[in-house]
Amino acid sequence: MSDLEDLYQEIILDHNKRPRNHGKLEVSNRTAEGFNPLCGDHVDISINVEDGIVKEVAFEGSGCAISTASASIMTEELKGKTLAEAKELFKKFHSMITGEERETTEETGLGKLDVFSGVCRYPARVKCATLAWHTVNAALDGDGEAVSTE
Amino acid sequence: MDASPLDIDRIRRDFPILQKTVNDKPLVYLDNAATAQKPQAVIDAISNYYSGCNANVHRGVHRLSVDATDAYEGARSKIREFIGAGRVEEIIYVRGATEAINLVAQTYGQANVGTGDEVIISTLEHHSNIVPWQILCKQLGATLRVVPINDAGEFLFDEYEAMLGPRTKLVAINHVSNALGTINPVKRIVEKAHEHGAAVLVDGAQAVPHVMVDVRALDCDFYTFSSHKLFGPTGVGALYGKFDILEAMPLYQSGGDMIKSVTFEKTTYNDLPYRFEAGTPNIAGAVGLGAAIDYVTELGMDNIARYEHDLGRYAAEALSSVPEVRLIGTAREKAAVVSFVVDGVHPHDIGTILDQEGIAIRTGHHCAQPVMERFGVVATARASMAFYNTRDEIDKLVDAVTKVIKVFR
Ligand SMILES: Cc1ncc(COP(=O)(O)O)c(C=O)c1O
């Protein structure tokens, strides 16, 4: 597989074209806004948490394929997770993308999120892949401030 | 193409970085509007300065200091001649276009713009020619007015004329737009402003590397450019100002070199241009800029402009022949800059895929968000050319864009 196909895998292209959970939740109790001042990418996250469990997540915004697919796949992966599990997943995802703890080519244990493992070889694109995640993290922390990748 | 007097193969050999490969492909550098590459002559001038005559300027009687001062002041003379200024006192060294605009806003602007007055800019401006005026207007209770552009990205002259009035104190306009490449009718803009008694600052950051500039013919009050876009080093640039205007202007930064004598009771300020150059300047940078001016002068600005004009048109035609590509900015008078978007593909993804092919372009808002907003896009991909670029490289760009479209189909 060429580097490029490694970055733009079929599943990423698919989520870019048909993002899942795209829009704004009618009922939500955690929201946050994230932007990347470098490229003007922007995402709004709304989450509905019940009994400490993420019931629904949706996102809205404009961005490149990497950031759109990352947000889309993230919403699927977060559904049904406890708050602690969601935070843990963010941490793992973040360290995979930034290339920490990745000596082997073995599975990262991140399942579907593994498709983003190629991003760590494109330092200029790390922020694209992590914008939605940073924003969810801020929404779960509930400080309501807009987050920026800078 | 008509035979250009420029020997591009030979010219390319003058630029060490152009021999480089990126991702195992020969580098195709099409991000010249962000910063231009440096010929060996510039690199050598800086290196020779440090190894042969480094000393502080304007303050030593020793040999090295005299040599350093000569080199530094020699570069100032080259700048004067290059942009057609009348006197060397009219050339002030700055860090770049950004600092020059801030300098004018906080000196001339502070002294000449009052509450209720107006400063005019255009939709095409780089953020560096927007924010300093916004800040000034806020400080003074003045109003910032913005001349709109048409769908081709052209300055709307009639709207500008209608905006001018007794309240207009300053017009700040770029000579060439960095985001779209539009060449503005600066001479006419200046003429009209002067009819209303307003001064004009021209941001020439994107013009000086590509067209012949004559500040006296333009009759502008201020003109500025950055060395790094003119194949010179970063961290230095020039501000031209008409002598009488500079003479009357309040101070900018203060300290050493900008004074004649200092006692605790009274300081006498230095003459032009030193009055606006507090502190030890970027001497090596100025020397490098002088070498860059020698280099492009040797090639001939007219030859450069003609060659690039042809290349820019070739690029615009080649890209627009791809059905999924939409050009943003199609002004009749245009520099060799092609801004474009591809249906359904974010510019960042274009940039990453092109990089795999060794092609460097800029993707994003180009520090000109109001331009993006005007065209209803968040970002564009931009290929900006210099005289060392070739039709062959443009063909590679078009092939790579076609590849992008395939990946995203
Ligand atoms: C039109 C224009 N003006 C001003 C600037 C600012 O130049 P600098 O960053 O060198 O100060 C730029 C740089 O991109 C530009 O393109």
Side-chain angles (χ1 to χ4, degrees):
Chain A
M1 201 155 43
S2 82
D3 266 6
L4 208 56
E5 282 160 1
D6 197 18
L7 182 65
Y8 292 106
Q9 294 187 36
E10 210 44 61
I11 175 168
I12 291 183
L13 296 172
D14 176 54
H15 277 264
N16 176 48
K17 245 188 207 149
R18 299 183 301 116
R20 323 295 199 266
N21 304 305
H22 191 255
K24 203 175 163 124
L25 293 179
E26 280 183 10
V27 184
S28 68
N29 46 23
R30 310 286 170 92
T31 59
E33 181 186 10
F35 59 93
N36 181 347
L38 204 68
C39 51
D41 284 358
H42 177 267
V43 66
D44 277 311
I45 298 279
S46 51
I47 312 177
N48 189 22
V49 178
E50 269 177 43
D51 303 328
I53 291 177
V54 176
K55 288 282 178 202
E56 301 237 49
V57 202
F59 80 101
E60 241 178 349
S62 68
C64 60
I66 305 299
S67 83
T68 304
S70 173
S72 174
I73 295 173
M74 174 194 74
T75 59
E76 292 187 334
E77 294 298 301
L78 284 177
K79 229 179 256 188
K81 296 271 188 300
T82 66
L83 295 186
E85 285 166 346
K87 292 237 148 201
E88 188 52 34
L89 199 55
F90 167 65
K91 258 197 225 148
K92 274 194 178 159
F93 181 77
H94 194 268
S95 60
M96 171 180 78
I97 297 287
T98 51
E100 292 164 32
E101 316 164 9
R102 195 117 206 276
E103 273 94 64
T104 64
T105 51
E106 275 169 43
E107 287 283 307
T108 53
L110 280 169
K112 206 171 178 182
L113 294 173
D114 222 29
V115 298
F116 293 102
S117 61
V119 174
C120 68
R121 281 198 298 280
Y122 297 83
R125 306 304 298 276
V126 164
K127 284 174 179 174
C128 309
T130 54
L131 176 62
W133 284 91
H134 278 293
T135 311
V136 157
N137 201 43
L140 293 178
D141 286 343
D143 53 13
E145 293 266 307
V147 299
S148 153
T149 56
E150 287 301 289
Chain B
M1 183 177 37
D2 295 339
S4 166
L6 300 180
D7 179 351
I8 305 300
D9 283 343
R10 204 215 64 199
I11 288 171
R12 289 181 67 84
R13 286 196 293 274
D14 293 339
F15 290 78
I17 214 168
L18 297 181
Q19 321 310 319
K20 204 177 142 78
T21 57
V22 169
N23 293 318
D24 302 323
K25 308 268 168 55
L27 168 66
V28 173
Y29 187 76
L30 292 170
D31 195 14
N32 294 286
T35 197
Q37 299 303 346
K38 324 302 175 199
Q40 190 65 48
V42 167
I43 300 168
D44 286 346
I46 296 166
S47 164
N48 290 344
Y49 166 76
Y50 278 126
S51 46
C53 77
N54 176 58
N56 212 326
V57 289
H58 302 145
R59 45 193 88 170
V61 293
H62 62 79
R63 176 60 191 269
L64 287 184
S65 178
V66 172
D67 288 351
T69 305
D70 284 351
Y72 179 72
E73 291 304 327
R76 195 193 306 272
S77 299
K78 289 176 188 177
I79 297 169
R80 180 205 67 72
E81 193 178 344
F82 185 59
I83 63 170
R87 311 172 59 161
V88 283
E89 295 93 325
E90 295 176 320
I91 306 296
I92 296 162
Y93 282 121
V94 287
R95 276 194 297 130
T98 302
E99 185 180 37
I101 298 167
N102 278 278
L103 187 160
V104 174
Q106 289 305 319
T107 55
Y108 184 87
Q110 282 286 350
N112 294 281
V113 181
T115 309
D117 283 342
E118 296 179 353
V119 174
I120 295 180
I121 59 173
S122 88
T123 304
L124 286 170
E125 301 318 311
H126 186 277
H127 294 164
S128 62
N129 202 24
I130 301 174
V131 185
W133 306 115
Q134 257 169 355
I135 291 172
L136 178 74
C137 288
K138 196 147 185 230
Q139 287 167 336
L140 301 174
T143 306
L144 187 63
R145 304 201 58 187
V146 184
V147 179
I149 53 176
N150 64 17
D151 290 343
E154 291 168 319
F155 182 87
L156 289 173
F157 205 86
D158 291 347
E159 309 255 355
Y160 165 63
E161 272 196 270
M163 238 174 237
L164 286 164
R167 291 263 173 228
T168 314
K169 290 295 175 311
L170 220 148
V171 176
I173 177 85
N174 61 33
H175 193 165
V176 173
S177 146
N178 67 308
L180 306 182
T182 308
I183 302 177
N184 283 315
V186 172
K187 195 171 154 69
R188 284 167 63 217
I189 290 171
V190 171
E191 233 169 64
K192 277 290 156 205
H194 285 173
E195 281 174 21
H196 293 270
V200 181
L201 173 138
V202 179
D203 167 5
Q206 297 293 345
V208 163
H210 306 291
V211 296
M212 178 101 88
V213 171
D214 183 335
V215 293
R216 271 183 299 181
L218 294 175
D219 196 30
C220 55
D221 303 281
F222 300 101
Y223 196 100
T224 177
F225 69 94
S226 298
S227 151
H228 69 97
K229 295 186 202 276
L230 181 64
F231 316 96
T234 54
V236 67
L239 169 67
Y240 157 83
K242 282 182 180 165
F243 186 87
D244 293 344
I245 292 178
L246 292 177
E247 257 308 80
M249 243 158 57
L251 300 170
Y252 180 50
Q253 292 178 340
S254 54
D257 236 23
M258 54 79 70
I259 47 83
K260 265 189 181 144
S261 75
V262 177
T263 66
F264 286 113
E265 289 72 39
K266 188 172 185 311
T267 294
T268 318
Y269 301 112
N270 209 337
D271 297 328
L272 288 174
Y274 315 112
R275 194 190 303 163
F276 292 102
E277 295 176 357
T280 300
N282 185 350
I283 308 165
V287 171
L289 169 56
I293 289 175
D294 286 343
Y295 185 84
V296 293
T297 304
E298 175 76 27
L299 297 181
M301 285 313 295
D302 278 343
N303 294 333
I304 288 174
R306 226 173 300 126
Y307 177 80
E308 290 182 0
H309 184 73
D310 179 81
L311 191 63
R313 281 172 75 153
Y314 180 78
E317 274 165 30
L319 277 168
S320 57
S321 71
V322 182
E324 290 86 349
V325 169
R326 177 162 66 103
L327 300 191
I328 305 283
T330 47
R332 265 159 307 172
E333 296 289 325
K334 208 167 165 280
V337 172
V338 184
S339 233
F340 62 98
V341 291
V342 175
D343 279 347
V345 188
H346 192 281
H348 275 182
D349 298 312
I350 302 174
T352 296
I353 295 175
L354 264 51
D355 182 55
Q356 289 304 301
E357 304 294 319
I359 303 173
I361 59 160
R362 173 84 183 266
T363 62
H365 54 55
H366 318 296
C367 296
Q369 278 179 312
V371 177
M372 300 296 112
E373 203 175 305
R374 169 65 178 74
F375 287 95
V377 295
V378 285
T380 72
R382 179 190 69 187
S384 54
M385 288 147 257
F387 52 76
Y388 44 60
N389 292 122
T390 63
R391 286 188 173 207
D392 180 48
E393 289 181 311
I394 300 302
D395 294 343
K396 283 186 182 152
L397 168 70
V398 176
D399 285 349
V401 170
T402 313
K403 188 164 175 185
V404 170
I405 294 163
K406 265 198 209 117
V407 170
F408 278 84
R409 182 138 53 204

